[in-house]
């Protein structure tokens, strides 16, 4: 063997199967979660009577968000004590079960107020599930990644999420083209929920093949020694909690603005054609997925902080002008969705890496699960409800100023964020 062969660097190979096994479960979680908002314009009247059906449907959507912090705390602590793998298996079973239940629920006309009560219970189960899912999938991806490639590994999280949202959007576009409105309102909306339940079985099978992370195994005794873990995150890691809340506030506003709130807003308030909206969102989501890995790779090379600063500053400046383009016509919708989601990839591509780097392994599941999900509940869960209420009051533009203000706050929080792109996980 020559000296050059001995000294040649070993080329790193991404564990693609493992990354997809972890991320596909997350994709199914987000598919089930997204279709509720995407198809709400069709099934709202099935569960709620009167003119406030859409508002009540989004209120149910928002209420389920407030169970996410509880799920994040309970399932996050379970993952810190028992492992990432069993926690991720539990969350996908809970989410898929909730989706199937919604797909077969009787309507208000059939069973009265029992229908929205059962809908709320199914959404609560999904809220608990998603609260644990995000934190543990993020921790898993962060913990299996080499420190110099954590951005690349993290990008698979939103590759899966974007793919799930793309599937939901394409499904909406297809159903809108092949069914009339009466068919969609009568039974067509049930198809994606039942599909989500079936796909959950695939996710369960894939996740059963995962290995537990070495990072968790090495720190399991330390996790057991932590008493009052939620209080410990505040007492010992207050800066990490504040930073997580700061950039998550804008991240969740961006996500639920572009992937949830804009669809009914464009159709119901700005009189856009639903087919155009679904098509524009589908194209933009494909771009969103395509940019994840390149952006993750850039963060490994140049740092997390520059990307986050560009994202928050550009969002603060552009979100209000972009909102004026929402309306009839495919061109304006394409600009809104593509620019908004293209900028957002600067954050999403590295979200698991950033969150994993904030907390030690013994508190990572709980720390991310509790504070990330509390922020999402407050700002993300209410986004569709707020934009709908403001639109009904004739003040829809106020919502986009609200997002711009959140972006400005996030920018100043990120300025104080330390660069962690090559740090060792604690």
């Amino acid at each position: 063997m020559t000296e050059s062969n001995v000294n040649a660097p070993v080329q790193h190979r991404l564990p693609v199967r493992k990354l997809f096994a972890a991320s596909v479960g997350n994709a199914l979680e987000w598919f089930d979660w997204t279709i509720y908002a995407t198809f709400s314009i069709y099934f709202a009247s099935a569960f709620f009577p009167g003119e406030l059906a859409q508002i009540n449907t989004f209120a149910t959507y928002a209420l389920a968000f407030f169970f996410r912090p509880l799920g994040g705390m309970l399932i996050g602590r379970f993952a810190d004590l028992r492992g990432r793998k069993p926690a991720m298996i539990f969350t996908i079973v809970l989410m898929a079960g909730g989706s199937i239940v919604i797909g077969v629920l009787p309507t208000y006309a059939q069973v009265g107020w029992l229908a929205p009560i059962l809908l709320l219970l199914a959404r609560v189960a999904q809220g608990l599930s998603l609260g644990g899912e995000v934190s543990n999938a993020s921790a898993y991806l962060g913990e299996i990644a080499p420190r110099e490639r954590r951005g690349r590994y993290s990008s698979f999280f939103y590759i899966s999420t974007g793919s799930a949202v793309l599937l939901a959007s394409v499904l909406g576009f297809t159903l809108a083209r092949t069914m009339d409105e009466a068919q969609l309102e009568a039974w067509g909306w049930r198809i994606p929920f039942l599909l989500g339940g079936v796909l959950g079985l695939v996710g369960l099978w894939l996740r059963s093949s995962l290995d537990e992370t070495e990072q968790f195994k090495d720190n399991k005794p330390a996790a057991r020694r932590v008493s009052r873990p939620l209080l410990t995150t505040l007492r010992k890691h207050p800066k990490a909690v504040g930073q997580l809340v700061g950039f998550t506030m804008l991240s969740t506003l961006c996500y639920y603005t572009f992937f949830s709130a804009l669809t009914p807003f464009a159709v119901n308030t700005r009189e856009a054609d639903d087919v155009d909206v679904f098509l524009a969102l589908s194209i933009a989501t494909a771009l969103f997925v395509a940019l994840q890995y390149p952006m993750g790779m850039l963060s490994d090379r140049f740092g997390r902080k520059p990307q986050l600063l560009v994202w928050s500053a550009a969002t603060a400046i552009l979100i209000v002008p972009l909102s004026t383009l929402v309306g009839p016509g495919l061109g304006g919708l394409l600009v809104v969705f593509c620019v908004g989601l293209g900028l957002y990839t600067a954050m999403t591509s590295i979200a698991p890496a950033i969150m994993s780097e904030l907390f030690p392994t013994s508190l990572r599941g709980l720390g991310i699960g509790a504070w990330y999900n509390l922020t999402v509940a407050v700002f993300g869960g209410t986004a569709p409800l707020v934009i709908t209420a403001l639109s009904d009051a004739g003040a829809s533009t106020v919502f986009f100023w609200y997002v711009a203000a959140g972006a400005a706050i996030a920018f100043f929080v990120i300025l104080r964020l330390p660069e962690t792109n090559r740090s060792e996980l604690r």
Side-chain angles (χ1 to χ4, degrees):
M1 183 179 295
T2 66
E3 184 178 349
S4 60
N5 288 335
V6 173
N7 296 328
V10 177
Q11 185 176 5
H12 180 82
R13 295 184 63 183
L14 283 172
V16 175
R17 182 173 180 178
K18 181 182 290 188
L19 292 172
F20 273 110
S23 301
V24 163
N26 181 65
L28 299 178
E29 294 270 357
W30 280 101
F31 174 83
D32 287 342
W33 193 262
T34 302
I35 56 177
Y36 183 94
T38 303
F39 287 87
S40 64
I41 57 178
Y42 301 119
F43 68 76
S45 59
F47 293 107
F48 295 98
E51 297 179 355
L52 297 179
Q54 190 72 53
I55 289 287
N56 288 330
T57 301
F58 278 140
T60 303
Y61 183 85
L63 283 172
F65 268 79
F66 286 91
F67 285 86
R68 285 184 60 167
L70 179 61
M73 286 185 282
L74 296 177
I75 302 174
R77 182 58 176 164
F78 174 80
D80 287 338
L81 293 173
R82 299 299 179 90
R84 313 302 183 203
K85 178 181 176 179
M88 290 194 297
I89 288 176
F90 175 70
T91 56
I92 199 169
V93 170
L94 199 58
M95 177 64 74
S99 185
I100 292 174
V101 168
I102 294 174
V104 300
L105 276 181
T107 65
Y108 180 86
Q110 294 171 321
V111 296
W113 284 104
L114 181 61
I117 290 172
L118 292 175
L119 175 67
L120 178 60
L121 291 175
R123 293 292 299 155
V124 166
Q126 291 187 315
L128 291 169
S129 171
L130 192 54
E133 168 64 24
V134 175
S135 58
N136 294 307
S138 296
Y140 188 90
L141 289 170
E143 289 172 5
I144 66 172
R147 64 176 182 174
E148 71 278 4
R149 296 178 180 271
R150 202 173 293 134
R152 295 171 174 87
Y153 277 53
S154 293
S155 68
F156 279 80
F157 186 90
Y158 272 93
I159 288 175
S160 69
T161 301
S163 298
V165 176
L166 178 59
L167 178 59
S169 181
V170 169
L171 188 57
F173 173 75
T174 302
L175 292 177
R177 288 294 300 268
T178 57
M179 294 182 178
D180 59 36
E181 188 170 341
Q183 290 174 316
L184 285 168
E185 291 179 353
W187 57 272
W189 63 266
R190 297 182 184 273
I191 295 174
F193 287 103
L194 295 175
L195 178 61
V198 172
L199 293 177
L201 298 176
V202 178
L204 180 61
W205 172 70
L206 286 170
R207 285 197 162 172
S208 66
S209 67
L210 290 174
D211 297 321
E212 191 54 78
T213 71
E214 294 299 323
Q215 191 82 16
F216 164 76
K217 293 177 183 177
D218 294 341
N219 288 273
K220 186 176 180 180
R224 289 180 172 177
R225 291 193 297 268
V226 176
S227 61
R228 298 182 179 180
L230 186 62
L231 183 61
T232 300
T233 62
L234 286 172
R235 190 175 65 247
K236 293 188 175 181
H237 308 282
K239 185 179 291 186
V241 171
Q243 290 165 340
L244 177 62
V245 170
F247 60 69
T248 299
M249 173 187 62
L250 177 57
S251 178
T252 194
L253 280 175
C254 286
Y255 184 94
Y256 290 102
T257 295
F258 290 104
F259 283 126
S260 297
L262 273 184
T263 297
F265 169 74
V267 174
N268 297 331
T269 304
R270 293 290 180 84
E271 299 181 348
D273 183 75
D274 58 349
V275 174
D276 284 344
V277 175
F278 282 128
L279 179 57
L281 180 57
S282 299
I283 293 171
T285 304
L287 174 67
F288 177 80
V289 173
L291 289 175
Q292 295 300 322
Y293 189 81
M295 295 299 285
M297 184 168 58
L298 281 176
S299 80
D300 285 334
R301 183 171 182 180
F302 299 109
R304 323 279 191 229
K305 194 170 178 177
Q307 287 190 194
L308 296 180
L309 289 172
V310 170
W311 160 64
S312 56
T315 301
I317 294 169
L318 295 176
I319 187 66
V320 174
L322 283 174
S323 70
T324 64
L325 299 178
V326 177
L330 180 61
L333 292 169
L334 274 174
V335 172
V336 172
F337 282 113
C338 288
V339 172
L341 291 179
L343 286 171
Y344 188 32
T345 60
M347 166 61 187
T348 56
S349 59
I350 56 176
I354 298 167
M355 294 191 293
S356 295
E357 290 160 356
L358 288 175
F359 295 98
T361 303
S362 59
L363 286 168
R364 187 167 294 124
L366 175 71
I368 298 173
W371 300 111
Y372 171 87
N373 285 292
L374 181 61
T375 308
V376 170
V378 173
F379 295 99
T382 57
L385 181 62
V386 170
I387 194 172
T388 301
L390 287 171
S391 298
D392 290 346
S396 59
T397 55
V398 174
F399 176 81
F400 299 100
W401 283 106
Y402 167 61
V403 176
I409 293 171
F411 179 84
F412 289 107
V413 170
I414 293 164
L415 278 176
R416 299 180 62 84
L417 191 71
E419 183 54 69
T420 55
N421 71 324
R422 291 186 179 271
S423 63
E424 292 282 2
L425 292 183
R426 292 172 286 168

